[in-house]
Amino acid sequence: MNLMIMEAKAKGISLKRDSFKQFGKDVELFKGVKEWFGIINRYGKENDLEIKHYINSSGMKEMIEGTEIAKEFEAIYACSFIYNVDGIAYWPSIAVDYTTKTQFLFKINKGIKSVSDNIAINEYVPDDERPVPFKQMIYFGDGETDIPSMKLVKEHGGNSIAVYKPRDGNKKIIAEKLISENRVNFVCPADYSEDKEIYKVVTTIIDKIKSDYDFENLQKLHKANADKSKSKNNK
């Protein structure tokens, strides 16, 4: 990122925050992405579940903020610069690699929205008090920096989906290698339309999350009733 600043200065290019956001407006989204959030949020609501969306990216936060889907995210974890009073980048603020992405997952898990907060992330929070349990996460990844995060989510009981550009044979091979190596749960072409594979996979996962949640609550209820009866019998 510092190299980007130096190269821009050498070529007389101004890295303004507004320029990054403008670039974001021109980002081409995969088919169905714009409609995806409304469709999945509605499906979650029909199952008495609240769906939250996060971005965990090694791309530029300001560019992501410029996209038409930025408003759909609870928080955006990504690279960013420090800007001067004129809104011009002069130093890297947050640089994101595969290690940082895994750290961001724990921030999401604990409900920490600040990218730079390094205190709350290290505080102990019991698993049952964390707002976004790993087992209820669905992670979409399409790059090498996503692989450790996808594996982490999978190992913690959540679900990871390796997505690839439709009709790109090489990308498909790479994605399928990940599922063969047990680093992801699913592999899908990046078409988010309601009748496509990603929709089928995600709605099935949501059904399972709901079922598991109901099952756990039923177990807790039975245990609570048993403990209550035991307490009465001991009096």
Side-chain angles (χ1 to χ4, degrees):
M1 292 175 69
N2 193 38
L3 178 61
M4 183 189 298
I5 293 175
M6 291 189 294
E7 289 286 338
K9 285 183 177 179
K11 296 179 180 179
I13 299 173
S14 176
L15 297 179
K16 298 194 71 172
R17 183 195 297 268
D18 291 342
S19 297
F20 284 122
K21 288 190 175 182
Q22 189 61 45
F23 294 148
K25 291 180 180 179
D26 297 328
V27 171
E28 184 177 353
L29 303 173
F30 283 117
K31 185 178 180 182
V33 168
K34 287 187 288 185
E35 298 79 19
W36 172 260
F37 302 95
I39 291 170
I40 290 301
N41 290 347
R42 184 171 64 251
Y43 190 88
K45 189 174 182 179
E46 290 170 355
N47 286 276
D48 297 320
L49 295 175
E50 181 184 9
I51 308 294
K52 293 184 178 182
H53 308 274
Y54 298 82
I55 281 279
N56 188 11
S57 173
S58 54
M60 287 299 305
K61 181 179 181 181
E62 290 79 5
M63 283 187 66
I64 297 170
E65 289 174 338
T67 65
E68 55 187 313
I69 60 171
K71 64 183 184 297
E72 304 289 353
F73 299 105
E74 190 79 10
I76 297 173
Y77 303 87
C79 299
S80 62
F81 288 108
I82 298 174
Y83 297 87
N84 63 21
V85 293
D86 297 316
I88 299 173
Y90 69 90
W91 195 256
S93 173
I94 301 292
V96 179
D97 59 11
Y98 62 90
T99 303
T100 320
K101 281 190 171 185
T102 58
Q103 293 173 351
F104 287 161
L105 284 176
F106 283 97
K107 289 192 173 186
I108 294 171
N109 173 239
K110 291 184 174 182
I112 303 168
K113 293 184 180 180
S114 172
V115 174
S116 58
D117 189 334
N118 294 316
I119 297 176
I121 187 63
N122 291 315
E123 293 181 355
Y124 173 73
V125 180
D127 286 344
D128 59 356
E129 294 180 13
R130 300 186 181 194
V132 186
F134 277 102
K135 62 185 177 182
Q136 294 179 6
M137 288 186 186
I138 304 174
Y139 191 102
F140 296 81
D142 64 356
E144 290 185 2
T145 59
D146 288 308
I147 294 173
S149 293
M150 290 192 288
K151 184 176 181 181
L152 177 67
V153 170
K154 182 178 184 294
E155 289 180 341
H156 280 71
N159 285 273
S160 295
I161 305 173
V163 298
Y164 61 90
K165 186 177 181 179
R167 295 176 294 280
D168 187 324
N170 290 331
K171 294 291 186 181
K172 182 180 180 182
I173 290 171
I174 293 171
E176 289 177 339
K177 185 172 183 287
L178 294 177
I179 196 169
S180 296
E181 295 171 346
N182 292 316
R183 292 198 273 182
V184 301
N185 302 87
F186 302 95
V187 174
C188 297
D191 185 337
Y192 295 82
S193 304
E194 193 167 354
D195 60 339
K196 298 301 181 180
E197 188 66 16
I198 286 183
Y199 176 81
K200 296 174 185 176
V201 168
V202 171
T203 52
T204 300
I205 294 171
I206 291 174
D207 291 343
K208 183 179 183 300
I209 290 172
K210 171 63 173 173
S211 178
D212 289 345
Y213 178 78
D214 290 342
F215 180 79
E216 289 175 9
N217 282 339
L218 185 61
Q219 280 189 313
K220 289 177 182 178
L221 177 62
H222 278 245
K223 186 177 185 305
N225 289 339
D227 290 343
K228 187 176 180 180
S229 297
K230 182 179 179 181
S231 178
K232 285 183 178 180
N233 293 333
N234 289 336
K235 288 183 179 180

